[in-house]
Amino acid sequence: MNIERTDMVEARAARHAALGDPSRLRIVDLLTLGDLSPSEIATTLGMPANLVAHHLNVLEGAGMASRSRSEADKRRSYVRLTETALKGLVPGREERASRVVFVCTANSARSQLAAALWSTHSTIPAASGGTHPAAHIAPGAIATADRHALDLPHEAPRALETVLTSSDFVVTVCDNAHEELHVPGRLHWSIPDPVRVGTDAAFDTAYDELERRIAELAPRLVAS
């Protein structure tokens, strides 16, 4: 067992437990904006001083808050969030990747957009491929990239077997590729095929979902 990773999980669990009380969550919300004295917290939240003290002790015990003495009035202290207060609160773990490969059936829309979007969020190289590549990139995907000022390479779709290597971090963005064709993947994103619908709205929905998921994944992939 990785003791260091276990310790990190336990620290995250302690922070989640500390935030399980609505009052402490409200205190943390306040402290994300600035430092406050215990009396200011009590006044803002309409909470008794002894209860504020209890909640602050719990937050300090979880490593989420710290206090410092006022330079003006030494009897007064200010509470602030620690640098690691909110670190790791979103469940997840880091992975290593030398290259990310996005996969769909035709490699004409979703996987092409995903690879282009990836390059705007990470320095880790990206590529895309299709299990049954189309003859050309879908016009709707090109128009979507233009609407969002995304640099989409105007290359012909490529067969996955000509792209994929054993060390790639694979993300399937097509249910067909993931389920029916059993494409091996580290991750799967179930994103409806906008080509089937053909409207700008369908392409924009796919784009927005890819953008959201890539923005969440990119910080958690470390170059190998």
Side-chain angles (χ1 to χ4, degrees), residues 58-96:
V58 173
L59 291 172
E60 287 182 276
M64 300 185 73
S66 63
R67 306 188 203 205
S68 60
R69 288 290 177 188
S70 166
E71 291 185 348
D73 184 346
K74 301 300 182 184
R75 297 169 297 178
R76 188 180 183 90
S77 65
Y78 287 101
V79 183
R80 69 184 61 189
L81 292 182
T82 62
E83 291 183 3
T84 58
L86 304 178
K87 183 178 180 180
L89 287 180
V90 177
R93 64 182 185 182
E94 287 188 346
E95 297 276 0
R96 293 190 171 273

Side-chain angles (χ1 to χ4, degrees), residues 97-103 125 127-129 158-171 183-186 224:
S98 58
R99 187 177 69 159
V100 180
V101 175
F102 295 96
V103 180
S128 67
R158 293 186 292 174
L160 180 61
E161 60 265 24
T162 68
V163 176
L164 194 62
T165 70
S166 60
S167 62
D168 287 330
F169 187 101
V170 178
V171 182
V183 174
R186 301 288 290 277
S224 61

Side-chain angles (χ1 to χ4, degrees), residues 13-24:
R15 290 197 290 273
H16 277 287
L19 293 176
D21 183 280
S23 294
R24 288 195 285 275

Side-chain angles (χ1 to χ4, degrees), residues 172-221:
T172 52
V173 294
C174 165
D175 291 343
N176 283 333
H178 181 69
E179 297 174 16
E180 298 172 18
L181 303 176
H182 304 293
V183 174
R186 301 288 290 277
L187 294 177
H188 173 57
W189 297 341
S190 181
I191 299 175
D193 184 3
V195 176
R196 292 183 181 179
V197 180
T199 64
D200 288 353
F203 277 95
D204 284 340
T205 296
Y207 178 96
D208 291 342
E209 183 66 5
L210 288 167
E211 166 72 20
R212 181 184 70 80
R213 290 179 181 255
I214 286 170
E216 292 175 352
L217 174 63
R220 291 166 53 189
L221 279 192

Side-chain angles (χ1 to χ4, degrees), residues 56 138 157:
L56 291 179

Side-chain angles (χ1 to χ4, degrees), residues 25-37 40-41 44-45 64 78-82 85-86:
L25 186 58
R26 292 169 68 198
I27 290 172
V28 169
D29 283 343
L30 287 176
L31 295 176
T32 60
L33 300 175
D35 304 341
L36 294 168
S37 68
E40 289 171 333
I41 294 173
T44 301
L45 298 181
M64 300 185 73
Y78 287 101
V79 183
R80 69 184 61 189
L81 292 182
T82 62
L86 304 178

